[in-house]
Amino acid sequence: MHATFTDEFMVSVEGLVKYFPVQKSFISQLISRKREYVHAVDSVSFQIRKGKIHALVGESGSGKTTTGKVTVGLIEPTSGKVVIDGRDIFKDEVDRRELRKKAQYIFQDPNSSLNPRMKVGQALEEPLIHLSDATKQERKEIVMKMLEDVNLSPAASFYSRYPHELSGGQRQRVVIARALIIQPKYVVADEPVAMVDASVRAQIMDLLITMQKRLGLTILLITHDLAVASYMADTISVMYLGKIVEQGSTEQIFSNPLHPYTNALISSVPVPDPKVKREKQIPHGEVPSAIRPPEGCRFNPRCPYRFDRCTREVPELLELEEGHFVSCFLY
Amino acid sequence: METILSIRNLSVSYYTDEGEARAIRNLSLDVEKGETLGIVGESGSGKSTLALAIMGLLQPPARVKTGSIYYKGRNILSMQGEEIRKLRGKEIAMIFQDPMTSLNPVKKIRDHFIEYITEHMENIDEHKALEIARKMMKSVGISEERLDDYPHQFSGGMRQRVMIALALALNPNLILADEPTTALDVLVEAQILELVKRLKNEFSLTLILITHNMGVVAEMADRVAVMYCGRIVELSKTEELYKNPKHPYTKGLIESIPLLYNRSRKLVSIPGHPPDLRNIPSGCSFHPRCPYAFDKCMNVEPELEKKEDGRYVACHLY
Amino acid sequence: MKREYFSPSRFIFYSILGRGYGRAFIVAGFSIIAFLSTMSIIAPFISPHDPTKIGIGPSNSPPSPSFPFGTDQYGRDMLSRIIWGGRFILLVAFTAVLICASIGVPIGLLSSYIGGNLDRSVSLIMDSVYSFPSLILAVMIISIYGTSVINEALAIAVVYIPSYFRVVRSQVLSIKELQYVEAAKCSGANTLSILFKHILPSIISSIIVVATVNFADSILTTAGLDFIGLGLPVNLPDWGIDLTYGRFELASGSWWVILSSGTMILLAALGFSLISEGYAERQNPKIR
């Protein structure tokens, strides 16, 4: 999984670890000195080729959003390395401003990621004010053009609207436009369609794909929806409780899923076609707490194929076929 | 087939400062005893308002303008205080999207059961109520010791199980489930759906499942009503609906979902976005987004009519 | 998403007028405040009599053509006293509001945004100040440093700083978790820009609400100081003094003293309430 030609990758994450200290009350801090941590992300590694879309798929609590935020420098990792466009972003000499110009984030909820008191035009202008040297006139031109690019036309009418005057889909377009307006090379799209109405979802996914092709973007797509990942992504990492359990091309993941968790995920997605009847493999129980994750393989308490070794040792992510990695003792 | 619930010409509006939002417009629908009826729609389609109306839970600024809802021949909308309270729980029960907001965080689960049961049933003591609670917890797959826990000690999926157990505690006939799995992860969603399927048979329930997820409906429902902008635009058996969607909106919905088992399929997205309920387009409310719209669609609102093949569609194309 | 608190004045305004009066409220509020301020400033030129002169008219005479607001027990002209009476009290209140807001708001913003131990310590200090009875502190400061606008304003301000701090802090804590703040960080905005461009505008209406209460309270405290003899000399024209002493004259049937001075204090508070309500609605276009 460690590529020889580093310059074909836009993003390279190596051994990423992020623990969050558990917030404790003042009193309980006095009583016990022991600090507890949420093991949000635990040695995660992946790479994204230039101009490709890589999806992080997993349920809530899998650490996918934390991973995404670390890769654009919104969260400092506990340890590990993130290289964007050839530069380690957590080394001191990397200028924050340079990083922001290169790496942007599309937030999940278009309702709360736009300031309700700022007009669409102001919201789109903000990155340009802080991150570019464009004059006021130039900024307005760039914003207008961007609005047209994301199909919010006539641009002049959208420019002076407030977020609450837009529909959910239009708001998401604004959020996407804001992330792309300074022409970043790398964008994290965090659940870009989760909060959007079903009939508008395909529009938004197509918009992202179009923009990605046009600007040659590299995208990290974060989603809980396997179908969204299958439609958009070139490669996929399946995460469970802070670890990557399986990684490969979209084709490999869906036509030959190896990890029991990936299998369970795929088989439990409700299929919008009553003709398709499948044997569901639903693991019992729910995702355990990330404060004290299970010993050994993190999936072992819910795994139907568990054996002795799974509870004692942590499986490594191994390459089973070219580009297809799995972390499971079955293989 | 016996009709258990019959909605006739129901119109509900929300009266806001910005004007009247017409959430449900002249809607009629029959629910047969023992079936699972899926109601699908996007936000703003009126599906949750419909659920509240059936439960008799509409509150200002919402107001029923016209219509009636008959449950076993009695009009829910004309019932008063005690009568409707008796109907809720014992006859019709509801499962909500977010169980946390409907459970009191400072009360143990057992107290929720005791309060709920003793409130609705006369001549029942706490001991008996607790017995029912134990039985219900068992049937949703939670050990009875957990009756002594507080809601926050349960995970999201477990809380939804508790809610289901509570809803079934008084042995109702009709269950209204409003987005019961939307807040849950895929695996837990699958568990809950399986549970609901099993309990439906066990308790011989009639189920109205309200959701935006076409996949959930396909797996659960016998019949599907597709709602758009406060009206039912299509109503038919589940297989037929997915095999051959008639209404352009239904077609669009089905064709715009990416499929795991057919990844090469090109997605066709519905242009535009759902209209503002305060300003609904004239004629067919879907016409601005419809690729097949013609003159008539802009002026005449199509009624939901039974077509030759026995399916109900509200569209001038058929 | 909805960040609402119950405000009795909003309830009253809206139940009478309905919504959509934001601009009208602001205009009305500012007009009242402007009227009162102007009246106080140009008092020497418009008042018909010397407000401190005893025996200008008969004692306790009810409103009449020559004394439209009546006279008090010393026969002083109430109209002149009302015109003069806002000078000190308004100045003290304005100064107090200005001092506390300009200290409490920035501290609240920074402390809660940065968080951690700094926030904990500042909160602790603020809570201890908050628990101090305002009148006693005011009495202390006045008796040590003497009566002056600045001293009285300071005495009132110190106790009110925590109110601003608390309101600002509680709102910042929730707003700073919102995605649009994180999005602003992503857009390259620095801490100051986030605080003043993204967070402050969202809480300004709550700050104005606190300022209103603070303003009204300052007036009452000033009146209270007058009452216990630590404020102005009793013969000076002042709404607070007249309201305080007017109480005793009420028993003898002279309602006009207390009515006129009370109305003025009420009017001042109402002006500020209108501004704050109007602001709240304009700032929050989607109050539902």
Side-chain angles (χ1 to χ4, degrees):
Chain A
M1 66 182 296
H2 299 285
T4 34
F5 303 104
T6 47
D7 54 340
E8 54 178 306
F9 293 107
M10 175 58 70
V11 180
S12 165
V13 175
E14 254 171 71
L16 185 70
V17 176
K18 178 66 193 178
Y19 294 167
F20 290 103
V22 176
Q23 289 285 341
K24 285 204 282 190
S25 69
F26 187 62
I27 304 285
S28 55
Q29 265 184 18
L30 288 179
I31 294 167
S32 149
R33 302 296 302 172
K34 211 182 97 197
R35 273 207 153 278
E36 284 191 306
Y37 293 92
V38 176
H39 299 231
V41 179
D42 221 334
S43 62
V44 156
S45 303
F46 62 88
Q47 280 142 337
I48 315 177
R49 278 173 206 282
K50 285 184 178 157
K52 296 287 180 190
I53 302 182
H54 181 76
L56 286 183
V57 175
E59 297 176 275
S60 50
S62 62
K64 52 191 194 304
T65 295
T66 308
T67 307
K69 286 189 176 163
V70 172
T71 64
V72 295
L74 276 174
I75 296 178
E76 295 267 331
T78 308
S79 67
K81 206 165 104 174
V82 177
V83 179
I84 304 282
D85 201 20
R87 299 190 71 177
D88 186 336
I89 62 166
F90 294 108
K91 287 264 177 63
D92 294 336
E93 66 265 30
V94 175
D95 184 1
R96 280 286 102 158
R97 199 174 120 104
E98 286 308 307
L99 175 64
R100 300 265 182 261
K101 277 161 101 168
K102 240 189 259 177
Q104 279 289 320
Y105 201 96
I106 296 170
F107 289 88
Q108 175 173 7
D109 183 356
N111 304 317
S112 71
S113 62
L114 290 172
N115 188 336
R117 289 168 223 292
M118 271 169 110
K119 288 177 181 166
V120 168
Q122 292 172 297
L124 291 190
E125 204 186 353
E126 194 174 25
L128 295 171
I129 295 175
H130 296 295
L131 299 172
S132 79
D133 307 317
T135 63
K136 201 162 185 228
Q137 188 53 39
E138 286 165 348
R139 290 201 297 260
K140 180 149 187 187
E141 277 163 24
I142 299 172
V143 170
M144 287 299 204
K145 184 167 176 308
M146 194 65 196
L147 283 169
E148 297 281 356
D149 283 350
V150 296
N151 300 333
L152 290 174
S153 62
S157 123
F158 282 97
Y159 188 89
S160 50
R161 283 198 216 173
Y162 283 100
H164 72 86
E165 296 170 311
L166 304 178
S167 73
Q170 290 169 339
R171 250 174 267 171
Q172 191 61 296
R173 284 170 194 273
V174 173
V175 172
I176 291 172
R178 178 178 57 191
L180 301 185
I181 201 154
I182 41 144
Q183 303 190 321
K185 294 178 168 174
Y186 165 60
V187 170
V188 178
D190 190 352
E191 301 277 13
V193 295
M195 308 290 281
V196 178
D197 272 323
S199 71
V200 186
R201 228 169 250 189
Q203 290 176 22
I204 300 290
M205 288 196 285
D206 286 337
L207 172 72
L208 267 174
I209 294 172
T210 314
M211 296 305 280
Q212 182 239 351
K213 297 243 162 74
R214 191 187 300 169
L215 304 172
L217 281 173
T218 306
I219 295 184
L220 178 65
L221 172 71
I222 294 169
T223 180
H224 71 281
D225 190 335
L226 289 170
V228 169
S230 81
Y231 184 68
M232 292 182 66
D234 299 300
T235 50
I236 292 178
S237 293
V238 180
M239 287 187 76
Y240 183 77
L241 214 54
K243 283 191 175 296
I244 291 177
V245 296
E246 187 164 358
Q247 197 171 67
S249 71
T250 305
E251 191 53 36
Q252 285 166 338
I253 296 283
F254 287 105
S255 45
N256 184 23
L258 296 172
H259 198 280
Y261 179 66
T262 316
N263 263 307
L265 270 185
I266 293 174
S267 79
S268 58
V269 175
V271 175
D273 189 342
K275 282 179 307 187
V276 180
K277 296 281 176 219
R278 301 155 308 158
E279 191 55 37
K280 286 200 179 183
Q281 314 167 334
I282 311 170
H284 55 87
E286 287 174 51
V287 184
S289 154
I291 297 176
R292 270 170 245 100
E295 301 270 314
C297 169
R298 294 200 170 171
F299 189 57
N300 89 69
R302 304 174 70 193
C303 184
Y305 311 107
R306 169 177 63 167
F307 52 98
D308 238 24
R309 196 176 168 200
C310 305
T311 57
R312 283 184 281 109
E313 290 174 49
V314 180
E316 296 256 340
L317 199 60
L318 296 175
E319 187 165 14
L320 275 179
E321 49 180 320
E322 207 201 328
H324 194 175
F325 300 82
V326 66
S327 125
C328 178
F329 290 126
L330 287 175
Y331 303 97
Chain B
M1 275 294 222
E2 186 192 334
T3 301
I4 186 167
L5 188 82
S6 174
I7 301 166
R8 285 288 165 270
N9 307 323
L10 182 69
S11 294
V12 179
S13 284
Y14 288 86
Y15 292 89
T16 66
D17 300 322
E18 292 96 17
E20 174 191 357
R22 298 194 287 161
I24 297 180
R25 297 178 296 136
N26 201 18
L27 181 145
S28 296
L29 177 67
D30 284 337
V31 184
E32 309 295 338
K33 194 170 187 331
E35 75 168 339
T36 299
L37 175 71
I39 297 180
V40 280
E42 304 172 83
S43 55
S45 63
K47 54 190 198 306
S48 293
T49 307
L50 183 61
L52 292 177
I54 295 172
M55 291 299 286
L57 288 172
L58 282 180
Q59 276 182 351
R63 212 174 74 206
V64 177
K65 283 168 75 188
T66 60
S68 35
I69 301 174
Y70 295 99
Y71 174 79
K72 290 184 172 171
R74 295 189 295 157
N75 188 356
I76 295 177
L77 296 179
S78 62
M79 285 183 190
Q80 297 298 323
E82 189 61 13
E83 202 181 352
I84 187 130
R85 213 176 58 80
K86 273 194 177 149
L87 191 82
R88 266 183 237 144
K90 261 172 139 175
E91 298 285 344
I92 309 176
M94 190 156 172
I95 303 168
F96 295 92
Q97 175 177 345
D98 183 6
M100 203 53 201
T101 53
S102 23
L103 293 171
N104 184 340
V106 296
K107 266 197 215 154
K108 289 177 179 174
I109 297 301
R110 63 185 299 152
D111 297 327
H112 281 95
F113 272 101
I114 291 173
E115 190 174 283
Y116 186 64
I117 294 170
T118 52
E119 212 170 76
H120 283 84
M121 291 170 86
E122 287 130 35
N123 315 321
I124 194 159
D125 55 13
E126 281 198 12
H127 188 72
K128 279 244 179 63
L130 211 54
E131 217 163 81
I132 299 175
R134 288 204 189 93
K135 204 183 87 203
M136 290 320 299
M137 291 290 269
K138 215 175 117 199
S139 59
V140 297
I142 307 177
S143 74
E144 56 182 67
E145 291 103 66
R146 300 216 60 187
L147 275 172
D148 287 322
D149 286 350
Y150 290 94
H152 70 89
Q153 291 169 291
F154 288 83
S155 62
M158 286 303 219
R159 269 200 292 267
Q160 196 54 287
R161 280 170 197 265
V162 170
M163 277 309 292
I164 294 172
L166 263 173
L168 297 182
L170 300 170
N171 209 358
N173 293 312
L174 177 65
I175 295 285
L176 265 165
D178 188 4
E179 303 271 10
T181 57
T182 304
L184 304 173
D185 279 320
V186 204
L187 294 184
V188 184
E189 173 175 56
Q191 292 171 0
I192 297 289
L193 292 179
E194 287 299 310
L195 175 75
V196 171
K197 257 188 213 168
R198 180 167 64 75
L199 292 174
K200 183 182 169 283
N201 291 330
E202 221 168 272
F203 290 78
S204 49
L205 299 165
T206 307
L207 178 66
I208 298 178
L209 178 68
I210 294 167
T211 177
H212 70 281
N213 189 325
M214 296 297 280
V216 170
V217 180
E219 294 202 351
M220 302 287 291
D222 304 314
R223 286 199 305 154
V224 182
V226 181
M227 283 189 75
Y228 185 77
C229 217
R231 289 174 78 97
I232 294 178
V233 295
E234 185 161 3
L235 172 68
S236 84
K237 290 221 173 70
T238 309
E239 284 96 68
E240 286 172 1
L241 185 93
Y242 284 84
K243 196 168 73 192
N244 180 19
K246 295 238 162 180
H247 196 282
Y249 176 64
T250 319
K251 210 177 267 180
L253 271 188
I254 292 176
E255 283 173 358
S256 66
I257 315 169
L259 300 176
L260 278 186
Y261 58 90
N262 183 5
R263 277 177 286 119
S264 54
R265 189 176 76 145
K266 183 92 189 83
L267 296 195
V268 185
S269 54
I270 306 176
H273 54 89
D276 181 356
L277 293 180
R278 288 179 295 261
N279 192 9
I280 294 172
S282 66
C284 171
S285 47
F286 187 63
H287 87 255
R289 305 176 73 188
C290 182
Y292 312 106
F294 52 100
D295 278 2
K296 195 179 175 192
C297 305
M298 288 158 214
N299 305 314
V300 184
E301 176 130 53
E303 292 298 321
L304 185 68
E305 280 167 2
K306 194 170 184 173
K307 305 297 172 187
E308 291 94 60
D309 50 1
R311 293 175 57 178
Y312 292 84
V313 191
C315 179
H316 293 312
L317 287 176
Y318 302 97
Chain C
M1 262 317 279
K2 263 201 281 181
R3 198 176 310 287
E4 277 306 309
Y5 47 88
F6 179 74
S7 143
S9 52
R10 171 173 308 156
F11 179 76
I12 294 165
F13 290 149
Y14 285 157
S15 44
I16 297 171
L17 287 168
R19 293 167 203 279
Y21 285 84
R23 182 185 287 272
F25 281 6
I26 296 177
V27 171
F30 270 115
S31 314
I32 292 175
I33 300 300
F35 167 72
L36 294 181
S37 314
T38 322
M39 183 185 80
S40 305
I41 292 165
I42 59 170
F45 309 105
I46 55 167
S47 86
H49 301 283
D50 179 350
T52 53
K53 198 165 175 199
I54 294 174
I56 281 186
S59 173
N60 280 339
S61 103
S64 63
S66 45
F67 301 106
F69 282 25
T71 60
D72 67 1
Q73 70 180 120
Y74 303 109
R76 294 177 296 202
D77 175 33
M78 274 316 290
L79 177 62
S80 308
R81 287 189 71 80
I82 290 302
I83 290 171
W84 280 84
R87 296 195 111 191
F88 187 74
I89 207 163
L90 286 177
L91 194 59
V92 168
F94 274 129
T95 319
V97 168
L98 216 65
I99 293 173
C100 347
S102 54
I103 296 174
V105 173
I107 293 181
L109 278 172
L110 273 172
S111 156
S112 50
Y113 187 74
I114 294 166
N117 284 331
L118 172 82
D119 186 39
R120 271 184 212 169
S121 337
V122 176
S123 298
L124 205 64
I125 296 170
M126 286 295 173
D127 282 350
S128 28
V129 176
Y130 191 72
S131 61
F132 213 91
S134 59
L135 198 60
I136 295 193
L137 188 75
V139 167
M140 256 169 60
I141 293 179
I142 303 292
S143 34
I144 295 171
Y145 297 105
T147 305
S148 78
V149 171
I150 283 293
N151 287 353
E152 272 199 38
L154 264 178
I156 295 163
V158 169
V159 185
Y160 244 97
I161 290 172
S163 301
Y164 288 85
F165 174 81
R166 284 174 156 205
V167 165
V168 169
R169 180 169 180 272
S170 70
Q171 299 225 354
V172 172
L173 285 185
S174 55
I175 292 174
K176 79 171 184 179
E177 299 299 328
L178 288 179
Q179 279 184 356
Y180 69 76
V181 172
E182 217 173 0
K185 270 186 229 167
C186 239
S187 301
N190 57 21
T191 304
L192 280 184
S193 164
I194 288 173
L195 282 178
F196 289 99
K197 210 165 139 191
H198 288 276
I199 297 182
L200 189 60
S202 315
I203 59 179
I204 200 99
S205 50
S206 324
I207 295 173
I208 294 179
V209 171
V210 178
T212 320
V213 179
N214 182 358
F215 186 82
D217 228 42
S218 308
I219 289 176
L220 294 180
T221 310
T222 316
L225 287 171
D226 293 341
F227 181 68
I228 53 175
L230 280 170
L232 300 167
V234 280
N235 66 330
L236 275 186
D238 189 79
W239 299 336
I241 293 174
D242 284 344
L243 184 68
T244 318
Y245 291 98
R247 284 188 308 156
F248 304 123
E249 297 173 47
L250 192 61
S252 56
S254 14
W255 45 267
W256 48 90
V257 175
I258 195 164
L259 180 75
S260 51
S261 54
T263 308
M264 296 319 280
I265 290 175
L266 195 74
L267 214 55
L270 179 73
F272 262 78
S273 287
L274 283 169
I275 296 171
S276 91
E277 292 310 326
Y279 231 91
E281 185 174 301
R282 301 245 307 164
Q283 282 288 319
N284 210 354
K286 204 85 216 239
I287 293 181
R288 269 198 267 193

